[in-house]
PDB file of all heavy atoms in Angstrom:
ATOM      1  N   ALA I  12      24.687 111.982  31.126  1.00 38.00           N
ATOM      2  CA  ALA I  12      24.031 110.787  31.693  1.00 38.00           C
ATOM      3  C   ALA I  12      23.644 109.815  30.613  1.00 38.00           C
ATOM      4  O   ALA I  12      23.808 108.596  30.744  1.00 38.00           O
ATOM      5  CB  ALA I  12      22.797 111.207  32.507  1.00 38.00           C
ATOM      6  N   LEU I  15      26.688 107.972  29.387  1.00 33.00           N
ATOM      7  CA  LEU I  15      27.168 106.971  30.337  1.00 33.00           C
ATOM      8  C   LEU I  15      26.293 105.716  30.322  1.00 33.00           C
ATOM      9  O   LEU I  15      26.783 104.599  30.442  1.00 33.00           O
ATOM     10  CB  LEU I  15      27.201 107.563  31.753  1.00 33.00           C
ATOM     11  CG  LEU I  15      28.291 108.625  32.003  1.00 33.00           C
ATOM     12  CD1 LEU I  15      28.116 109.238  33.396  1.00 33.00           C
ATOM     13  CD2 LEU I  15      29.685 108.008  31.856  1.00 33.00           C
ATOM     14  N   LEU I  75      23.507  65.686  27.259  1.00 96.00           N
ATOM     15  CA  LEU I  75      22.533  65.684  26.168  1.00 96.00           C
ATOM     16  C   LEU I  75      22.214  67.108  25.707  1.00 96.00           C
ATOM     17  O   LEU I  75      22.057  67.364  24.507  1.00 96.00           O
ATOM     18  CB  LEU I  75      21.262  64.957  26.600  1.00 96.00           C
ATOM     19  CG  LEU I  75      21.418  63.458  26.886  1.00 96.00           C
ATOM     20  CD1 LEU I  75      20.102  62.860  27.364  1.00 96.00           C
ATOM     21  CD2 LEU I  75      21.918  62.705  25.661  1.00 96.00           C
ATOM     22  N   PRO I 108      18.430  33.408  25.503  1.00 94.00           N
ATOM     23  CA  PRO I 108      18.592  32.351  24.504  1.00 94.00           C
ATOM     24  C   PRO I 108      17.852  31.098  24.952  1.00 94.00           C
ATOM     25  O   PRO I 108      17.712  30.835  26.150  1.00 94.00           O
ATOM     26  CB  PRO I 108      20.109  32.146  24.449  1.00 94.00           C
ATOM     27  CG  PRO I 108      20.640  32.714  25.708  1.00 94.00           C
ATOM     28  CD  PRO I 108      19.705  33.813  26.105  1.00 94.00           C
ATOM     29  N   GLY I 153      28.841  60.017  18.044  1.00 80.00           N
ATOM     30  CA  GLY I 153      29.580  58.793  18.313  1.00 80.00           C
ATOM     31  C   GLY I 153      31.039  58.850  17.908  1.00 80.00           C
ATOM     32  O   GLY I 153      31.890  58.180  18.497  1.00 80.00           O
ATOM     33  N   LEU I 155      32.891  61.733  17.833  1.00 85.00           N
ATOM     34  CA  LEU I 155      33.578  62.893  18.418  1.00 85.00           C
ATOM     35  C   LEU I 155      34.193  62.487  19.755  1.00 85.00           C
ATOM     36  O   LEU I 155      33.482  62.237  20.728  1.00 85.00           O
ATOM     37  CB  LEU I 155      32.603  64.050  18.620  1.00 85.00           C
ATOM     38  CG  LEU I 155      32.219  64.851  17.378  1.00 85.00           C
ATOM     39  CD1 LEU I 155      31.239  65.959  17.746  1.00 85.00           C
ATOM     40  CD2 LEU I 155      33.445  65.439  16.710  1.00 85.00           C
ATOM     41  N   ALA I 286      15.087  58.447  43.882  1.00 87.00           N
ATOM     42  CA  ALA I 286      14.425  57.375  43.131  1.00 87.00           C
ATOM     43  C   ALA I 286      13.047  57.783  42.624  1.00 87.00           C
ATOM     44  O   ALA I 286      12.276  56.922  42.161  1.00 87.00           O
ATOM     45  CB  ALA I 286      14.300  56.133  44.006  1.00 87.00           C
ATOM     46  N   LEU I 312      21.914  89.688  33.933  1.00 92.00           N
ATOM     47  CA  LEU I 312      23.144  89.114  33.391  1.00 92.00           C
ATOM     48  C   LEU I 312      23.139  89.150  31.871  1.00 92.00           C
ATOM     49  O   LEU I 312      24.155  89.474  31.235  1.00 92.00           O
ATOM     50  CB  LEU I 312      23.313  87.677  33.902  1.00 92.00           C
ATOM     51  CG  LEU I 312      24.551  86.912  33.411  1.00 92.00           C
ATOM     52  CD1 LEU I 312      25.835  87.635  33.799  1.00 92.00           C
ATOM     53  CD2 LEU I 312      24.541  85.480  33.972  1.00 92.00           C
ATOM     54  N   LEU I 316      25.798  91.223  29.502  1.00 87.00           N
ATOM     55  CA  LEU I 316      26.608  90.534  28.485  1.00 87.00           C
ATOM     56  C   LEU I 316      26.318  91.063  27.084  1.00 87.00           C
ATOM     57  O   LEU I 316      27.129  90.877  26.170  1.00 87.00           O
ATOM     58  CB  LEU I 316      26.338  89.030  28.535  1.00 87.00           C
ATOM     59  CG  LEU I 316      26.817  88.300  29.798  1.00 87.00           C
ATOM     60  CD1 LEU I 316      26.341  86.849  29.773  1.00 87.00           C
ATOM     61  CD2 LEU I 316      28.325  88.354  29.926  1.00 87.00           C
ATOM     62  N   GLN I 321      26.461  89.865  20.581  1.00 74.00           N
ATOM     63  CA  GLN I 321      25.743  88.604  20.663  1.00 74.00           C
ATOM     64  C   GLN I 321      26.726  87.427  20.584  1.00 74.00           C
ATOM     65  O   GLN I 321      27.641  87.434  19.760  1.00 74.00           O
ATOM     66  CB  GLN I 321      24.721  88.492  19.526  1.00 74.00           C
ATOM     67  CG  GLN I 321      23.559  89.463  19.647  1.00 74.00           C
ATOM     68  CD  GLN I 321      22.763  89.220  20.909  1.00 74.00           C
ATOM     69  OE1 GLN I 321      22.494  88.078  21.272  1.00 74.00           O
ATOM     70  NE2 GLN I 321      22.388  90.311  21.589  1.00 74.00           N
ATOM     71  N   GLU I 338      34.783  49.350   8.482  1.00 95.00           N
ATOM     72  CA  GLU I 338      35.634  48.397   9.204  1.00 95.00           C
ATOM     73  C   GLU I 338      34.996  48.083  10.542  1.00 95.00           C
ATOM     74  O   GLU I 338      34.333  48.931  11.148  1.00 95.00           O
ATOM     75  CB  GLU I 338      37.025  49.007   9.415  1.00 95.00           C
ATOM     76  CG  GLU I 338      38.025  48.082  10.085  1.00 95.00           C
ATOM     77  CD  GLU I 338      39.385  48.739  10.251  1.00 95.00           C
ATOM     78  OE1 GLU I 338      39.680  49.706   9.518  1.00 95.00           O
ATOM     79  OE2 GLU I 338      40.154  48.282  11.116  1.00 95.00           O
ATOM     80  N   THR I 386      29.324  47.108  24.416  1.00 91.00           N
ATOM     81  CA  THR I 386      29.083  48.475  23.970  1.00 91.00           C
ATOM     82  C   THR I 386      29.760  48.685  22.621  1.00 91.00           C
ATOM     83  O   THR I 386      30.493  47.812  22.139  1.00 91.00           O
ATOM     84  CB  THR I 386      29.613  49.493  24.986  1.00 91.00           C
ATOM     85  OG1 THR I 386      31.027  49.290  25.159  1.00 91.00           O
ATOM     86  CG2 THR I 386      28.911  49.334  26.324  1.00 91.00           C
ATOM     87  N   ILE I 403      33.090  43.010  27.647  1.00 90.00           N
ATOM     88  CA  ILE I 403      33.650  42.549  28.918  1.00 90.00           C
ATOM     89  C   ILE I 403      33.085  41.154  29.148  1.00 90.00           C
ATOM     90  O   ILE I 403      31.872  40.996  29.328  1.00 90.00           O
ATOM     91  CB  ILE I 403      33.288  43.482  30.080  1.00 90.00           C
ATOM     92  CG1 ILE I 403      33.837  44.882  29.831  1.00 90.00           C
ATOM     93  CG2 ILE I 403      33.827  42.933  31.397  1.00 90.00           C
ATOM     94  CD1 ILE I 403      33.443  45.886  30.902  1.00 90.00           C
ATOM     95  N   THR I 428      25.918  24.190  38.879  1.00 94.00           N
ATOM     96  CA  THR I 428      27.078  25.017  38.545  1.00 94.00           C
ATOM     97  C   THR I 428      27.089  25.257  37.040  1.00 94.00           C
ATOM     98  O   THR I 428      26.561  24.460  36.264  1.00 94.00           O
ATOM     99  CB  THR I 428      28.404  24.342  38.948  1.00 94.00           C
ATOM    100  OG1 THR I 428      28.484  23.052  38.324  1.00 94.00           O
ATOM    101  CG2 THR I 428      28.508  24.179  40.447  1.00 94.00           C
ATOM    102  N   GLN I 449      13.444  11.824  44.346  1.00 92.00           N
ATOM    103  CA  GLN I 449      13.923  11.616  42.981  1.00 92.00           C
ATOM    104  C   GLN I 449      15.359  12.134  42.892  1.00 92.00           C
ATOM    105  O   GLN I 449      15.637  13.282  43.231  1.00 92.00           O
ATOM    106  CB  GLN I 449      13.030  12.347  41.985  1.00 92.00           C
ATOM    107  CG  GLN I 449      11.599  11.845  41.964  1.00 92.00           C
ATOM    108  CD  GLN I 449      10.747  12.558  40.929  1.00 92.00           C
ATOM    109  OE1 GLN I 449      11.192  13.498  40.285  1.00 92.00           O
ATOM    110  NE2 GLN I 449       9.513  12.106  40.773  1.00 92.00           N
ATOM    111  N   GLY I 461      29.553  29.342  15.737  1.00 87.00           N
ATOM    112  CA  GLY I 461      30.056  30.516  15.041  1.00 87.00           C
ATOM    113  C   GLY I 461      29.880  30.461  13.535  1.00 87.00           C
ATOM    114  O   GLY I 461      30.436  31.304  12.823  1.00 87.00           O
ATOM    115  N   ARG I 486      -6.824   3.357  41.584  1.00 87.00           N
ATOM    116  CA  ARG I 486      -6.038   2.625  42.573  1.00 87.00           C
ATOM    117  C   ARG I 486      -4.642   2.327  42.039  1.00 87.00           C
ATOM    118  O   ARG I 486      -4.474   1.900  40.903  1.00 87.00           O
ATOM    119  CB  ARG I 486      -6.758   1.321  42.915  1.00 87.00           C
ATOM    120  CG  ARG I 486      -6.123   0.536  44.050  1.00 87.00           C
ATOM    121  CD  ARG I 486      -7.046  -0.579  44.492  1.00 87.00           C
ATOM    122  NE  ARG I 486      -7.337  -1.492  43.394  1.00 87.00           N
ATOM    123  CZ  ARG I 486      -6.626  -2.614  43.146  1.00 87.00           C
ATOM    124  NH1 ARG I 486      -5.606  -2.937  43.920  1.00 87.00           N
ATOM    125  NH2 ARG I 486      -6.954  -3.393  42.136  1.00 87.00           N
ATOM    126  N   GLU I 499      23.122  12.165  24.752  1.00 97.00           N
ATOM    127  CA  GLU I 499      22.578  12.631  23.486  1.00 97.00           C
ATOM    128  C   GLU I 499      23.401  13.787  22.937  1.00 97.00           C
ATOM    129  O   GLU I 499      24.126  14.470  23.671  1.00 97.00           O
ATOM    130  CB  GLU I 499      21.112  13.050  23.635  1.00 97.00           C
ATOM    131  CG  GLU I 499      20.883  14.314  24.412  1.00 97.00           C
ATOM    132  CD  GLU I 499      19.397  14.711  24.441  1.00 97.00           C
ATOM    133  OE1 GLU I 499      18.538  13.807  24.433  1.00 97.00           O
ATOM    134  OE2 GLU I 499      19.122  15.922  24.488  1.00 97.00           O
ATOM    135  N   LEU I 510      13.055  30.384  19.345  1.00 96.00           N
ATOM    136  CA  LEU I 510      12.777  29.157  18.615  1.00 96.00           C
ATOM    137  C   LEU I 510      14.004  28.255  18.526  1.00 96.00           C
ATOM    138  O   LEU I 510      15.094  28.705  18.171  1.00 96.00           O
ATOM    139  CB  LEU I 510      12.307  29.498  17.194  1.00 96.00           C
ATOM    140  CG  LEU I 510      12.033  28.318  16.253  1.00 96.00           C
ATOM    141  CD1 LEU I 510      10.859  27.485  16.770  1.00 96.00           C
ATOM    142  CD2 LEU I 510      11.750  28.822  14.848  1.00 96.00           C
ATOM    143  N   GLU I 552       6.569  35.506  28.882  1.00 94.00           N
ATOM    144  CA  GLU I 552       7.343  36.619  29.432  1.00 94.00           C
ATOM    145  C   GLU I 552       7.958  36.268  30.780  1.00 94.00           C
ATOM    146  O   GLU I 552       8.877  36.927  31.250  1.00 94.00           O
ATOM    147  CB  GLU I 552       6.469  37.882  29.515  1.00 94.00           C
ATOM    148  CG  GLU I 552       5.851  38.194  30.854  1.00 94.00           C
ATOM    149  CD  GLU I 552       4.605  37.371  31.171  1.00 94.00           C
ATOM    150  OE1 GLU I 552       4.389  36.308  30.555  1.00 94.00           O
ATOM    151  OE2 GLU I 552       3.825  37.790  32.033  1.00 94.00           O
ATOM    152  N   ARG I 553       7.479  35.218  31.433  1.00 93.00           N
ATOM    153  CA  ARG I 553       8.095  34.745  32.668  1.00 93.00           C
ATOM    154  C   ARG I 553       7.686  33.303  32.902  1.00 93.00           C
ATOM    155  O   ARG I 553       6.682  32.827  32.363  1.00 93.00           O
ATOM    156  CB  ARG I 553       7.718  35.633  33.856  1.00 93.00           C
ATOM    157  CG  ARG I 553       6.229  35.702  34.141  1.00 93.00           C
ATOM    158  CD  ARG I 553       5.917  36.803  35.145  1.00 93.00           C
ATOM    159  NE  ARG I 553       4.498  36.837  35.491  1.00 93.00           N
ATOM    160  CZ  ARG I 553       3.870  37.913  35.927  1.00 93.00           C
ATOM    161  NH1 ARG I 553       4.527  39.038  36.060  1.00 93.00           N
ATOM    162  NH2 ARG I 553       2.583  37.872  36.241  1.00 93.00           N
ATOM    163  N   ALA I 569      12.362   8.326  16.465  1.00 94.00           N
ATOM    164  CA  ALA I 569      12.329   6.922  16.024  1.00 94.00           C
ATOM    165  C   ALA I 569      13.280   6.144  16.907  1.00 94.00           C
ATOM    166  O   ALA I 569      14.477   6.460  16.982  1.00 94.00           O
ATOM    167  CB  ALA I 569      12.740   6.820  14.560  1.00 94.00           C
ATOM    168  N   ARG I 582       7.624   7.827  18.099  1.00 96.00           N
ATOM    169  CA  ARG I 582       6.942   8.601  19.148  1.00 96.00           C
ATOM    170  C   ARG I 582       6.816  10.053  18.693  1.00 96.00           C
ATOM    171  O   ARG I 582       7.792  10.683  18.294  1.00 96.00           O
ATOM    172  CB  ARG I 582       7.711   8.552  20.470  1.00 96.00           C
ATOM    173  CG  ARG I 582       6.965   9.180  21.657  1.00 96.00           C
ATOM    174  CD  ARG I 582       7.807   9.052  22.927  1.00 96.00           C
ATOM    175  NE  ARG I 582       7.063   9.386  24.131  1.00 96.00           N
ATOM    176  CZ  ARG I 582       6.924  10.624  24.623  1.00 96.00           C
ATOM    177  NH1 ARG I 582       7.488  11.650  23.981  1.00 96.00           N
ATOM    178  NH2 ARG I 582       6.224  10.826  25.725  1.00 96.00           N
ATOM    179  N   ARG I 602      -4.200  24.980  27.149  1.00 98.00           N
ATOM    180  CA  ARG I 602      -3.122  24.004  26.952  1.00 98.00           C
ATOM    181  C   ARG I 602      -3.683  22.844  26.134  1.00 98.00           C
ATOM    182  O   ARG I 602      -4.763  22.321  26.429  1.00 98.00           O
ATOM    183  CB  ARG I 602      -2.564  23.486  28.270  1.00 98.00           C
ATOM    184  CG  ARG I 602      -1.379  22.543  28.089  1.00 98.00           C
ATOM    185  CD  ARG I 602      -0.749  22.148  29.408  1.00 98.00           C
ATOM    186  NE  ARG I 602       0.456  21.373  29.204  1.00 98.00           N
ATOM    187  CZ  ARG I 602       1.210  20.863  30.191  1.00 98.00           C
ATOM    188  NH1 ARG I 602       0.854  21.059  31.461  1.00 98.00           N
ATOM    189  NH2 ARG I 602       2.292  20.160  29.913  1.00 98.00           N
ATOM    190  N   GLN I 644      -6.975  21.853  28.030  1.00 98.00           N
ATOM    191  CA  GLN I 644      -7.206  22.570  29.284  1.00 98.00           C
ATOM    192  C   GLN I 644      -7.524  24.028  28.970  1.00 98.00           C
ATOM    193  O   GLN I 644      -6.862  24.665  28.147  1.00 98.00           O
ATOM    194  CB  GLN I 644      -5.970  22.490  30.188  1.00 98.00           C
ATOM    195  CG  GLN I 644      -6.189  23.096  31.571  1.00 98.00           C
ATOM    196  CD  GLN I 644      -4.978  22.906  32.476  1.00 98.00           C
ATOM    197  OE1 GLN I 644      -3.971  23.588  32.307  1.00 98.00           O
ATOM    198  NE2 GLN I 644      -5.072  21.968  33.417  1.00 98.00           N
ATOM    199  N   PRO I 690       4.243  34.673  44.190  1.00 95.00           N
ATOM    200  CA  PRO I 690       5.703  34.577  44.202  1.00 95.00           C
ATOM    201  C   PRO I 690       6.237  35.088  45.543  1.00 95.00           C
ATOM    202  O   PRO I 690       5.774  36.111  46.058  1.00 95.00           O
ATOM    203  CB  PRO I 690       6.117  35.482  43.043  1.00 95.00           C
ATOM    204  CG  PRO I 690       5.007  36.465  42.904  1.00 95.00           C
ATOM    205  CD  PRO I 690       3.758  35.763  43.340  1.00 95.00           C
ATOM    206  N   THR I 691       7.206  34.391  46.110  1.00 94.00           N
ATOM    207  CA  THR I 691       7.804  34.790  47.380  1.00 94.00           C
ATOM    208  C   THR I 691       9.315  34.678  47.275  1.00 94.00           C
ATOM    209  O   THR I 691       9.854  34.254  46.252  1.00 94.00           O
ATOM    210  CB  THR I 691       7.315  33.891  48.536  1.00 94.00           C
ATOM    211  OG1 THR I 691       7.891  32.576  48.390  1.00 94.00           O
ATOM    212  CG2 THR I 691       5.793  33.783  48.543  1.00 94.00           C
ATOM    213  N   LEU I 693      11.068  32.550  48.580  1.00 90.00           N
ATOM    214  CA  LEU I 693      11.387  31.125  48.454  1.00 90.00           C
ATOM    215  C   LEU I 693      10.976  30.552  47.108  1.00 90.00           C
ATOM    216  O   LEU I 693      11.202  29.377  46.845  1.00 90.00           O
ATOM    217  CB  LEU I 693      10.697  30.329  49.572  1.00 90.00           C
ATOM    218  CG  LEU I 693      11.116  30.654  51.003  1.00 90.00           C
ATOM    219  CD1 LEU I 693      10.285  29.852  51.997  1.00 90.00           C
ATOM    220  CD2 LEU I 693      12.598  30.375  51.203  1.00 90.00           C
ATOM    221  N   SER I 704     -14.512  13.198  38.268  1.00 87.00           N
ATOM    222  CA  SER I 704     -15.473  12.113  38.482  1.00 87.00           C
ATOM    223  C   SER I 704     -14.879  11.008  39.342  1.00 87.00           C
ATOM    224  O   SER I 704     -15.602  10.289  40.026  1.00 87.00           O
ATOM    225  CB  SER I 704     -15.926  11.555  37.128  1.00 87.00           C
ATOM    226  OG  SER I 704     -14.791  11.135  36.375  1.00 87.00           O
TER     227      SER I 704
END
Side-chain angles (χ1 to χ4, degrees):
L15 289 174
L75 295 178
L155 283 180
L312 179 59
L316 293 174
Q321 292 298 318
E338 183 179 338
T386 59
I403 299 176
T428 56
Q449 297 182 355
R486 186 169 59 93
E499 71 176 32
L510 177 65
E552 98 281 19
R553 60 191 183 205
R582 188 179 191 274
R602 184 174 186 181
Q644 186 176 75
T691 71
L693 297 176
S704 56

